[in-house]
Amino acid sequence: MKISPLGALIVSCGGVLAIILWVIGYIFLPNDVTHRQLSANPKIQTSVAVTETNTTSSTAPQTAAWYALDKAPKTLDLSITSNNGDNPMNFNGYSKGALKITVPVGWTLKVTYTNQQTTAHSVGFVPFSERESPNGSFTPAFRGSTGPADKFQAGVPENQPYSFSFVADKAGQYAMVCGIPGHAAGGMWDEFDVDAKASAPTITTGQGTVTVHQTQS
Ligand SMILES: [Cu+2]
């Protein structure tokens, strides 16, 4: 096969041009395109640092507790649940005064109530003398302390939480009751105290008294 001089010239020029372009690219393109300086590139991560999460330590804060200080001052968050325990007439598993929640006078309570049972229930804060009221006639102990009237009186169905808040502005002994007629009398009540001398909220059960320090996360 005969090679034409013109063809040889074009191929030669093409080769020279390619070499020139490669040199220009090598010098002027940024490092992350050419990877010519391996030491200037980030090292490939070959191991993952393990961060200690401390979830099982006995000193870990009890973030799952149903009570916590709110971010707002002098405010206690309560997550009250009527669970599917042996006794359906319960608040967080406690009934007939087995639980006592105490707050200093003037504190605000932010209450979220969840009923986990198929039977309707509710929660409200009433005078201690009404803790076993048989007919469901209750008086709010504080302004707004029985929450929405319809929910308190008729109860709420399973897993439809509702919230309300009130200011515990008068010292004394009170009760947390279910508003459904017969339920409080059947044991669905626990104690709520407003203490003029207390400096922090406390939760008292058969296991002792816990001072609430943990802020809601
Ligand atoms: Cu009830």
Side-chain angles (χ1 to χ4, degrees):
M1 189 176 76
K2 191 183 176 218
I3 298 168
S4 84
L6 183 63
L9 184 67
I10 289 170
V11 169
S12 303
C13 286
V16 170
L17 191 65
I19 291 167
I20 289 168
L21 282 174
W22 182 83
V23 170
I24 289 171
Y26 185 89
I27 293 168
F28 293 105
L29 281 175
N31 181 51
D32 57 354
V33 175
T34 64
H35 294 275
R36 66 183 179 276
Q37 292 174 12
L38 281 176
S39 62
N41 287 310
K43 279 183 183 164
I44 294 166
Q45 193 170 5
T46 54
S47 67
V48 177
V50 177
T51 307
E52 197 180 336
T53 51
N54 202 26
T55 50
T56 55
S57 162
S58 60
T59 57
Q62 302 277 306
T63 50
W66 51 267
Y67 49 84
L69 299 181
D70 195 84
K71 280 159 189 156
K74 293 190 175 181
T75 303
L76 178 66
D77 293 342
L78 292 179
S79 179
I80 305 292
T81 300
S82 295
N83 65 34
N84 278 301
D86 293 340
N87 177 6
M89 300 293 154
N90 77 81
F91 294 119
N92 294 64
Y94 302 98
S95 57
K96 280 195 173 178
L99 166 68
K100 184 171 83 174
I101 299 164
T102 305
V103 297
V105 68
W107 275 55
T108 297
L109 272 85
K110 282 170 77 173
V111 181
T112 298
Y113 178 69
T114 307
N115 178 21
Q116 294 179 339
Q117 303 172 25
T118 50
T119 309
H121 292 293
S122 65
V123 72
F125 296 76
V126 302
F128 193 69
S129 59
E130 296 180 5
R131 67 194 179 283
E132 290 189 324
S133 169
N135 58 5
S137 85
F138 296 105
T139 325
F142 308 94
R143 187 187 184 89
S145 69
T146 50
D150 57 333
K151 289 186 163 65
F152 179 61
Q153 285 157 16
V156 286
E158 193 176 13
N159 294 323
Q160 291 188 21
Y162 69 99
S163 300
F164 60 97
S165 64
F166 66 93
V167 181
D169 54 6
K170 191 163 178 279
Q173 188 181 30
Y174 305 93
M176 180 167 76
V177 298
C178 175
I180 308 267
H183 285 200
M188 198 160 180
W189 67 271
D190 283 298
E191 190 172 340
F192 175 63
D193 285 0
V194 180
D195 190 338
K197 292 175 196 148
S199 57
T202 54
I203 308 293
T204 303
T205 65
Q207 264 118 49
T209 297
V210 175
T211 302
V212 184
H213 293 300
Q214 178 73 32
T215 304
Q216 194 192 43
S217 52

